[in-house]
Amino acid sequence: MDTLYTMTYTLNSGIKGTVNLSLVQIKEWIDCFKIGTRFVTYVGDEHFGLNPNCVADYKVHNVYSEQRRQLEVIQPKEILESKELLEAYEVKQIVARVECKKCSTQYTTDLIYKMPETICTKCKSKVYLQEQLGMINTNKGKAYYYSNNEEEQS
């Protein structure tokens, strides 16, 4: 993992800029500045170029600097494997058992959240949550029961 250090520079026009560079890139920049050749490198996925003849001054904020700011490069693979990140963006769904009396369809499905009514996926009739029955056992575990049977509704 490369540690990046922030370099702050001021152009001759007075415009200030910052760029995050690795130690190797900082050494290349210093060499280019000393001999007056253009500095071109990659910063992430982008090209970055700086003409030392247009730079009035620069400062690298490193471990000895009061205003240091270190950034560590995070590889995409590490982001995907991060358990905390995956849990933070995980969508918690509920299990629902739907029994449509109009078309005689029965199925178990996942819903984004518990809702008072939904529709039958086959005939598009409204089916209602039967809260008085509580949770029922299904092949996917405990589920909320939805039906369009009038006698079962509360």
Side-chain angles (χ1 to χ4, degrees):
M1 229 191 255
D2 290 338
T3 300
L4 299 180
Y5 297 94
T6 300
M7 180 179 82
T8 303
Y9 57 91
T10 306
L11 299 178
N12 293 332
S13 63
I15 297 172
K16 290 189 175 246
T18 59
V19 63
N20 296 315
L21 301 173
S22 68
L23 286 175
V24 172
Q25 291 171 320
I26 291 169
K27 288 177 186 172
E28 288 175 20
W29 160 250
I30 292 171
D31 291 341
C32 289
F33 189 80
K34 285 179 182 176
I35 59 175
T37 60
R38 290 184 180 102
F39 172 69
V40 179
T41 189
Y42 283 102
V43 177
D45 293 336
E46 298 177 359
H47 285 84
F48 174 79
L50 192 59
N51 185 345
N53 296 327
C54 297
V55 176
D57 65 357
Y58 71 92
K59 181 176 182 178
V60 177
H61 305 282
N62 59 25
V63 293
Y64 304 108
S65 167
E66 288 179 20
Q67 297 175 328
R68 70 179 177 265
R69 191 172 102 197
Q70 295 183 13
L71 304 174
E72 292 187 12
V73 177
I74 299 173
Q75 302 300 325
K77 183 179 178 183
E78 291 172 338
I79 291 173
L80 293 176
E81 292 176 353
S82 171
K83 185 178 178 182
E84 292 174 3
L85 188 61
L86 288 174
E87 288 175 359
Y89 288 100
E90 182 181 20
V91 176
K92 307 267 192 241
Q93 295 189 334
I94 64 150
V95 179
R97 175 71 179 169
V98 177
E99 291 186 8
C100 180
K101 306 299 182 189
K102 292 188 179 173
C103 67
S104 301
T105 301
Q106 298 180 12
Y107 58 93
T108 304
T109 188
D110 292 323
L111 296 176
I112 297 172
Y113 56 89
K114 179 181 162 184
M115 51 187 87
E117 66 181 51
T118 187
I119 58 168
C120 172
T121 56
K122 185 175 178 185
C123 72
K124 307 300 182 210
S125 295
K126 285 186 178 181
V127 289
Y128 302 94
L129 175 61
Q130 307 298 318
E131 291 209 60
Q132 73 278 10
L133 297 177
M135 301 285 282
I136 61 168
N137 291 320
T138 67
N139 58 339
K140 290 186 170 184
K142 294 278 189 182
Y144 290 100
Y145 181 69
Y146 287 81
S147 171
N148 50 11
N149 190 349
E150 299 298 325
E151 299 92 45
E152 293 179 15
Q153 287 185 20
S154 52

